[in-house]
PDB file of all heavy atoms in Angstrom:
ATOM      1  N   PHE A 140     120.689  49.571 164.058  1.00 94.00           N
ATOM      2  CA  PHE A 140     119.448  49.116 164.706  1.00 94.00           C
ATOM      3  C   PHE A 140     119.216  47.615 164.510  1.00 94.00           C
ATOM      4  O   PHE A 140     118.490  46.999 165.270  1.00 94.00           O
ATOM      5  CB  PHE A 140     118.244  49.905 164.176  1.00 94.00           C
ATOM      6  CG  PHE A 140     118.138  51.280 164.769  1.00 94.00           C
ATOM      7  CD1 PHE A 140     118.540  52.394 164.061  1.00 94.00           C
ATOM      8  CD2 PHE A 140     117.634  51.438 166.044  1.00 94.00           C
ATOM      9  CE1 PHE A 140     118.461  53.650 164.621  1.00 94.00           C
ATOM     10  CE2 PHE A 140     117.536  52.696 166.613  1.00 94.00           C
ATOM     11  CZ  PHE A 140     117.956  53.814 165.900  1.00 94.00           C
ATOM     12  N   LEU A 141     119.838  47.053 163.487  1.00 94.00           N
ATOM     13  CA  LEU A 141     119.704  45.609 163.254  1.00 94.00           C
ATOM     14  C   LEU A 141     120.293  44.812 164.406  1.00 94.00           C
ATOM     15  O   LEU A 141     119.815  43.730 164.734  1.00 94.00           O
ATOM     16  CB  LEU A 141     120.422  45.205 161.958  1.00 94.00           C
ATOM     17  CG  LEU A 141     119.699  45.445 160.644  1.00 94.00           C
ATOM     18  CD1 LEU A 141     120.584  45.018 159.490  1.00 94.00           C
ATOM     19  CD2 LEU A 141     118.374  44.685 160.598  1.00 94.00           C
ATOM     20  N   ASN A 142     121.347  45.349 165.013  1.00 93.00           N
ATOM     21  CA  ASN A 142     122.064  44.602 166.061  1.00 93.00           C
ATOM     22  C   ASN A 142     121.487  44.813 167.452  1.00 93.00           C
ATOM     23  O   ASN A 142     121.927  44.192 168.404  1.00 93.00           O
ATOM     24  CB  ASN A 142     123.538  44.999 166.073  1.00 93.00           C
ATOM     25  CG  ASN A 142     124.184  44.791 164.721  1.00 93.00           C
ATOM     26  OD1 ASN A 142     123.798  43.886 163.988  1.00 93.00           O
ATOM     27  ND2 ASN A 142     125.134  45.647 164.365  1.00 93.00           N
ATOM     28  N   ARG A 143     120.517  45.712 167.530  1.00 94.00           N
ATOM     29  CA  ARG A 143     119.938  45.985 168.854  1.00 94.00           C
ATOM     30  C   ARG A 143     118.861  44.963 169.173  1.00 94.00           C
ATOM     31  O   ARG A 143     118.396  44.216 168.323  1.00 94.00           O
ATOM     32  CB  ARG A 143     119.324  47.391 168.843  1.00 94.00           C
ATOM     33  CG  ARG A 143     120.320  48.494 168.493  1.00 94.00           C
ATOM     34  CD  ARG A 143     120.755  49.298 169.680  1.00 94.00           C
ATOM     35  NE  ARG A 143     119.673  50.075 170.273  1.00 94.00           N
ATOM     36  CZ  ARG A 143     119.435  51.349 169.995  1.00 94.00           C
ATOM     37  NH1 ARG A 143     120.176  51.999 169.111  1.00 94.00           N
ATOM     38  NH2 ARG A 143     118.461  51.984 170.603  1.00 94.00           N
ATOM     39  N   GLY A 144     118.447  44.948 170.463  1.00 94.00           N
ATOM     40  CA  GLY A 144     117.285  44.154 170.836  1.00 94.00           C
ATOM     41  C   GLY A 144     116.063  44.744 170.151  1.00 94.00           C
ATOM     42  O   GLY A 144     116.045  45.942 169.841  1.00 94.00           O
ATOM     43  N   VAL A 145     115.031  43.947 169.922  1.00 96.00           N
ATOM     44  CA  VAL A 145     113.835  44.413 169.228  1.00 96.00           C
ATOM     45  C   VAL A 145     113.240  45.622 169.956  1.00 96.00           C
ATOM     46  O   VAL A 145     112.827  45.511 171.108  1.00 96.00           O
ATOM     47  CB  VAL A 145     112.772  43.282 169.150  1.00 96.00           C
ATOM     48  CG1 VAL A 145     111.477  43.821 168.543  1.00 96.00           C
ATOM     49  CG2 VAL A 145     113.298  42.115 168.336  1.00 96.00           C
ATOM     50  N   ASN A 146     113.284  46.756 169.287  1.00 96.00           N
ATOM     51  CA  ASN A 146     112.742  48.025 169.817  1.00 96.00           C
ATOM     52  C   ASN A 146     113.373  48.466 171.139  1.00 96.00           C
ATOM     53  O   ASN A 146     112.873  49.387 171.788  1.00 96.00           O
ATOM     54  CB  ASN A 146     111.214  47.932 170.001  1.00 96.00           C
ATOM     55  CG  ASN A 146     110.491  47.788 168.684  1.00 96.00           C
ATOM     56  OD1 ASN A 146     110.829  48.459 167.707  1.00 96.00           O
ATOM     57  ND2 ASN A 146     109.519  46.897 168.625  1.00 96.00           N
ATOM     58  N   GLU A 147     114.457  47.818 171.541  1.00 95.00           N
ATOM     59  CA  GLU A 147     115.039  48.089 172.862  1.00 95.00           C
ATOM     60  C   GLU A 147     115.664  49.481 172.904  1.00 95.00           C
ATOM     61  O   GLU A 147     116.611  49.770 172.173  1.00 95.00           O
ATOM     62  CB  GLU A 147     116.097  47.034 173.198  1.00 95.00           C
ATOM     63  CG  GLU A 147     116.647  47.201 174.600  1.00 95.00           C
ATOM     64  CD  GLU A 147     117.739  46.178 174.925  1.00 95.00           C
ATOM     65  OE1 GLU A 147     118.081  45.367 174.043  1.00 95.00           O
ATOM     66  OE2 GLU A 147     118.242  46.218 176.049  1.00 95.00           O
ATOM     67  N   GLY A 148     115.111  50.319 173.735  1.00 93.00           N
ATOM     68  CA  GLY A 148     115.631  51.668 173.874  1.00 93.00           C
ATOM     69  C   GLY A 148     115.387  52.542 172.660  1.00 93.00           C
ATOM     70  O   GLY A 148     115.963  53.630 172.549  1.00 93.00           O
ATOM     71  N   PHE A 149     114.524  52.110 171.727  1.00 94.00           N
ATOM     72  CA  PHE A 149     114.214  52.932 170.556  1.00 94.00           C
ATOM     73  C   PHE A 149     113.335  54.105 171.001  1.00 94.00           C
ATOM     74  O   PHE A 149     112.502  53.961 171.895  1.00 94.00           O
ATOM     75  CB  PHE A 149     113.422  52.126 169.508  1.00 94.00           C
ATOM     76  CG  PHE A 149     114.207  51.076 168.766  1.00 94.00           C
ATOM     77  CD1 PHE A 149     115.369  50.516 169.282  1.00 94.00           C
ATOM     78  CD2 PHE A 149     113.770  50.623 167.519  1.00 94.00           C
ATOM     79  CE1 PHE A 149     116.067  49.536 168.598  1.00 94.00           C
ATOM     80  CE2 PHE A 149     114.456  49.643 166.823  1.00 94.00           C
ATOM     81  CZ  PHE A 149     115.610  49.096 167.359  1.00 94.00           C
ATOM     82  N   SER A 150     113.513  55.247 170.341  1.00 91.00           N
ATOM     83  CA  SER A 150     112.587  56.360 170.578  1.00 91.00           C
ATOM     84  C   SER A 150     111.261  56.008 169.904  1.00 91.00           C
ATOM     85  O   SER A 150     111.179  55.049 169.127  1.00 91.00           O
ATOM     86  CB  SER A 150     113.158  57.635 169.977  1.00 91.00           C
ATOM     87  OG  SER A 150     113.115  57.547 168.553  1.00 91.00           O
ATOM     88  N   GLY A 151     110.236  56.809 170.194  1.00 90.00           N
ATOM     89  CA  GLY A 151     108.926  56.563 169.594  1.00 90.00           C
ATOM     90  C   GLY A 151     109.012  56.496 168.075  1.00 90.00           C
ATOM     91  O   GLY A 151     108.451  55.594 167.442  1.00 90.00           O
TER      92      GLY A 151
END
Side-chain angles (χ1 to χ4, degrees):
Chain A
F140 282 102
L141 279 178
N142 304 329
R143 302 256 294 264
V145 175
N146 294 318
E147 185 182 2
F149 288 23
S150 70

